[in-house]
Every structure is written in C-alpha cells, then in structure tokens.
Amino acid sequence: MRYLFIFISILLFTANPVSSQSFEWSTGTDVFFDNREYNSIDNPQTIFGERLWGEAGANLGEGHRMSAGLNYLYEFGSTAGA
C-alpha cells in the first residue's frame, strides 16, 4: 500500500507539467589555499582544499525557489577520516 501511494504521488507530480515553474540546476568547484605561517610561529598551518557542489530545483516565480543539492569538501593532506 505504501509503494502504491508513492507511485501515485510521483505519477501525479510528473504527469501534469506546469508552465509557471522552471527547472534550474548549477554545479561548481571552489579551490582554497591559506598559508597561516605568518600569524602563529608556534602552530604553523597550511590549509589547502577543494569543494565540489551541485544543486537542482525549481524556480516557482516571484522570488521563490526550491532546490536540493550536494556539497563535498576535501582538504588535501588531511588525516581526518583515514
């Protein structure tokens, strides 16, 4: 019964195209490098990494948007999670 409800919901939302909404998506990457050796002689740090992101959603008009996405951050040389 639960799967039937999900199937019917998906069918209803995808079967009726609405012209006032538009599909939007975006992707990108950001690279950062920060050499913090000048600030603290006792604890020198170099922070270097990259962030990948992507999102998809709908523009509902009049400044309203609904979107979902993923954001992945990786610090090069980091031992966290290893």
Side-chain angles (χ1 to χ4, degrees):
M1 185 69 179
R2 180 175 152 198
Y3 294 115
L4 180 62
F5 176 73
I6 293 172
F7 176 73
I8 291 173
S9 298
I10 291 172
L11 185 64
L12 287 175
F13 284 117
T14 59
N16 298 323
V18 178
S19 62
S20 65
Q21 299 173 354
S22 63
F23 178 74
E24 294 182 345
W25 63 276
S26 64
T27 60
T29 180
D30 299 317
V31 178
F32 57 90
F33 179 78
D34 188 4
N35 189 1
R36 296 185 177 207
E37 292 178 356
Y38 65 88
N39 195 15
S40 174
I41 296 174
D42 299 331
N43 187 17
Q45 293 179 332
T46 300
I47 301 172
F48 181 44
E50 181 175 12
R51 180 186 311 268
L52 301 172
W53 55 271
E55 68 177 0
N59 185 358
L60 305 176
E62 298 182 16
H64 299 286
R65 291 181 67 218
M66 183 172 56
S67 63
L70 298 172
N71 189 344
Y72 178 73
L73 173 68
Y74 182 76
E75 288 188 39
F76 299 111
S78 175
T79 57

